[in-house]
Amino acid sequence: MAFVQSALGRVLAGVLAEGSASHRSIADYLMRNPMRGTALKIEEMAEGCQVSTATISRFARDIGFASYGAMRSALAETLHSAMQPVEKLRSSIARRNGALSPGEASMEYARANLATTHGGLTQQALDDVARKISGARTVYVLGLGMSSCFASMLALHLQPFCQHVVEMAGPGGTEIAAGHLVHIGRDDVLVAFSFPRYGADGMRLAQFARSHKAVVVAITDVPSAPMVALSDHVLYASAAHGVLPSSGVATVAVIEALVVSLMVSNKANVKKAARLSEAVAGYLVGPGV
């Protein structure tokens, strides 16, 4: 199931639904036997699918790979990524009687992620992104799945200091998020959160924004993350965890660091902060209450 829900799994599902007879045969074989697919030579794959080796090569190219070997490598990588959370959970249960309790081990991951993120994040990178966001006509903030909470947090922080902020995810899912991008253009910025397990829909939306000349900012975990290649600026938040697909502790720290960098970059933001305080003062509990 994890493989079926992966980006490659969805591509294969699309071929299975709409492809030619020979391509459907290959897609069906790979969906049913992804583990075997990582080990088979092209001749063995052709025999298993009852097609020619030329058809296998054409199939690989048609779904975006340079060769059958590249497709097989992507298949192996996808399987590894899809199964990693399961293996981490199994390993964590096996070590439960070890030196650290699960809660203590999780806190250790949080500490290590913060240290790694702090060591790799420069003020220059934060200032560059803050400057792009400050000058944007509209800032679009995208986070799907577990990353939606990060998008909500960043959008809430940015609203008082930006001309227009659009939080893309919400009721209606990806279709609504895509609809928000109808008017995106050269004067706009898309900030996209992308963490394991990486979702294909977020990358498609980022590609759309990029094709319409918008600036794309990725907040992700590692340089090999798929969103990096689609982005003009990248802020890294280490997200390793022993059980969860990814940890969000460092991501929150990066959000706060970015917002603070933006707030202090312009004296006009002091007035904006004052207006915000005035607007919400009537809804706050007084200091003596």
Side-chain angles (χ1 to χ4, degrees):
M1 181 59 68
F3 174 76
V4 170
Q5 294 174 343
S6 70
L8 180 54
R10 293 178 185 178
V11 170
L12 294 175
V15 175
L16 195 58
E18 301 179 359
S20 65
S22 59
H23 281 198
R24 288 200 305 272
S25 174
I26 300 168
D28 180 66
Y29 187 89
L30 290 174
M31 294 281 279
R32 292 176 182 275
N33 308 281
M35 191 67 73
R36 287 190 64 192
T38 65
L40 294 179
K41 297 178 180 178
I42 190 169
E43 294 82 6
E44 295 168 327
M45 177 69 74
E47 182 180 352
C49 299
Q50 297 184 330
V51 298
S52 67
T53 56
T55 300
I56 296 288
S57 295
R58 186 165 58 252
F59 175 86
R61 291 194 300 271
D62 286 349
I63 64 172
F65 297 100
S67 64
Y68 171 71
M71 182 183 75
R72 191 172 65 174
S73 296
L75 186 66
E77 186 176 345
T78 299
L79 271 176
H80 174 74
S81 178
M83 294 304 297
Q84 195 174 37
V86 179
E87 293 302 322
K88 287 195 294 187
L89 179 58
R90 184 181 293 119
S91 176
S92 178
I93 292 172
R95 296 196 310 268
R96 184 162 290 175
N97 294 326
L100 292 178
S101 68
E104 290 172 327
S106 186
M107 289 292 186
E108 283 299 307
Y109 274 105
R111 180 194 59 77
N113 284 328
L114 282 172
T116 300
T117 300
H118 186 201
L121 189 64
T122 67
Q123 188 60 51
Q124 184 63 55
L126 290 167
D127 289 342
D128 289 345
V129 173
R131 186 162 49 252
K132 291 292 185 181
I133 290 175
S134 295
R137 176 184 61 183
T138 300
V139 179
Y140 296 86
V141 185
L142 173 64
L144 300 175
M146 291 297 292
S147 291
S148 63
C149 60
F150 302 136
S152 295
M153 179 183 295
L154 179 59
L156 185 63
H157 278 305
L158 292 180
Q159 282 171 354
F161 307 103
C162 296
Q163 185 174 338
H164 187 210
V165 177
V166 175
E167 183 184 348
M168 293 172 59
T174 305
E175 183 177 346
I176 298 301
H180 283 305
L181 291 182
V182 168
H183 301 294
I184 197 168
R186 187 182 301 276
D187 298 325
D188 302 320
V189 172
L190 170 67
V191 181
F193 292 88
S194 182
F195 290 93
R197 308 162 182 167
Y198 307 109
D201 288 345
M203 285 180 279
R204 293 191 185 99
L205 293 170
Q207 181 62 62
F208 180 88
R210 187 179 181 88
S211 69
H212 285 71
K213 311 302 182 184
V215 172
V216 177
V217 176
I219 300 181
T220 189
D221 59 331
V222 292
S224 60
M227 190 65 79
V228 172
L230 301 174
S231 305
D232 301 290
H233 301 270
V234 183
L235 299 177
Y236 292 105
S238 181
H241 199 279
V243 176
L244 302 174
S246 60
S247 168
V249 174
T251 306
V252 174
V254 169
I255 291 171
E256 293 182 352
L258 174 59
V259 171
V260 169
S261 297
L262 184 147
M263 290 174 66
V264 303
S265 66
N266 190 333
K267 291 182 179 180
N269 287 337
V270 176
K271 292 182 179 180
K272 294 177 182 178
R275 286 202 300 269
L276 173 64
S277 297
E278 182 180 350
V280 303
Y283 305 96
L284 302 179
V285 177
V289 178

